[in-house]
Amino acid sequence: DRHAADKFGQLTRQGIHRWRWCFHTVKAESMVPELGVIEGYFGRPWGHEDRKRVMTQLRELGYSWFHHAPKADPFLRRRWREPYPSAAFTMLADLSAHCRSLGMRFGVGLSPYELYRDYSGPAKADFVAKLRALDDIGLDDLAILFDDTRGDVPDLAAKEADIVHAAMAVTRATRTVMCPTYYSDDRMLDVLFGERPAGYLEDLGRRLDPRVGVYWTGEEICTREFSPGHLIRIADALRRKPILW
């Protein structure tokens, strides 16, 4: 409702991280980070009109992009191989048009759930079909999200990099972002999703196309602060500055 959108603006001004907004690469000429929001949380997603109101407020606050990726959207996660129902597809296209009309970049976060376990012919075909369908919504950014899934599999970084590169070869989006399975130093990820492979971040950074942005939440899943030393270490491992989620 309108109160939710107003509250969002209030929290943004106060700098509270509950809503998970993101800092992209710093613009050297102004030292002001590029700001955006990813709706990528668990729980009840925002309503369609709420999102549009939030976008309008974001633009007024200087934000430049919005990524639609609610975990509760089954067609972006567990049922990602299925096409969007017509009504939901129309709403996403409307959301994209509204975002772009404000001068903001619009993106979708696709979580091809455990695709890396069986990236065979049929799975590849379904992945390509999904990407082409998402293109029809109108994307500036495409995010491929591997967060909060099992990661204790052989050659995880190589498999994830291959999937991201396959998406880049298909999508009409002009910017591609990915979220690693292990997107934080927080050991809770290893408890929940299996022990992270040794050298995972370094392997991922070495394999990924340098044009790909990488989401990172910090030393904790919901980090309280970012230290310069930590960010330097992660940037060195990934061979690029992370996008702070």
Side-chain angles (χ1 to χ4, degrees):
D1 54 19
R2 184 173 299 277
H3 173 73
D6 291 342
K7 187 63 174 177
F8 178 89
Q10 177 188 347
L11 293 174
T12 302
R13 292 184 184 94
Q14 293 175 345
I16 298 173
H17 284 261
R18 176 186 173 196
W19 295 96
R20 285 192 146 183
W21 59 87
C22 309
F23 299 82
H24 198 19
T25 52
V26 172
K27 300 176 182 178
E29 67 274 13
S30 63
M31 297 305 292
V32 175
E34 183 183 355
L35 302 176
V37 163
I38 176 168
E39 185 189 347
Y41 56 87
F42 289 95
R44 187 176 69 179
W46 292 335
H48 181 64
E49 294 303 321
D50 293 335
R51 288 191 185 101
K52 293 170 72 172
R53 283 194 291 269
V54 165
M55 285 179 178
T56 300
Q57 289 191 343
L58 289 174
R59 188 55 178 162
E60 293 170 356
L61 292 166
Y63 286 61
S64 60
W65 52 271
F66 181 92
H67 290 174
H68 175 83
K71 294 291 194 292
D73 184 338
F75 301 101
L76 290 177
R77 195 163 169 84
R78 295 248 181 197
R79 296 167 59 188
W80 67 267
R81 296 190 185 198
E82 300 176 34
Y84 263 110
S86 177
F89 186 90
T90 299
M91 283 197 296
L92 272 181
D94 180 64
L95 195 66
S96 172
H98 179 71
C99 190
R100 288 168 150 185
S101 74
L102 297 169
M104 297 174 65
R105 298 177 64 90
F106 178 78
V108 164
L110 173 63
S111 298
Y113 197 75
E114 297 193 343
L115 176 60
Y116 50 75
R117 290 187 179 275
D118 179 22
Y119 193 39
S120 60
K124 287 182 180 180
D126 289 341
F127 187 52
V128 168
K130 188 70 171 194
L131 294 171
R132 288 177 174 160
L134 291 176
D135 273 339
D136 290 338
I137 291 169
L139 299 185
D140 301 295
D141 298 345
L142 173 68
I144 303 297
L145 310 177
F146 299 105
D147 55 312
D148 301 325
T149 58
R150 297 293 303 184
D152 49 351
V153 296
D155 302 317
L156 179 65
K159 292 174 180 177
E160 291 180 348
D162 285 347
I163 292 171
V164 171
H165 294 158
M168 292 178 71
V170 174
T171 183
R172 295 198 297 268
T174 57
R175 186 165 67 185
T176 303
V177 180
M178 67 89 68
C179 184
T181 299
Y182 299 96
Y183 51 84
S184 167
D185 282 345
D186 200 322
R187 291 294 297 173
M188 183 56 66
L189 293 178
D190 304 73
V191 172
L192 293 173
F193 304 114
E195 192 75 16
R196 71 188 68 198
Y200 169 70
L201 280 189
E202 291 79 4
D203 194 15
L204 190 64
R206 178 174 58 83
R207 293 176 181 276
L208 276 178
D209 187 301
R211 295 172 294 174
V212 177
V214 179
Y215 274 130
W216 182 255
T217 71
E219 296 178 70
E220 301 169 289
I221 294 173
C222 296
T223 196
R224 290 165 285 187
E225 61 182 359
F226 296 100
S227 69
H230 171 77
L231 294 179
I232 290 171
R233 177 174 65 81
I234 297 304
D236 287 345
L238 291 173
R239 303 189 182 192
R240 72 207 72 207
K241 293 178 181 179
I243 301 174
L244 303 181
W245 178 335

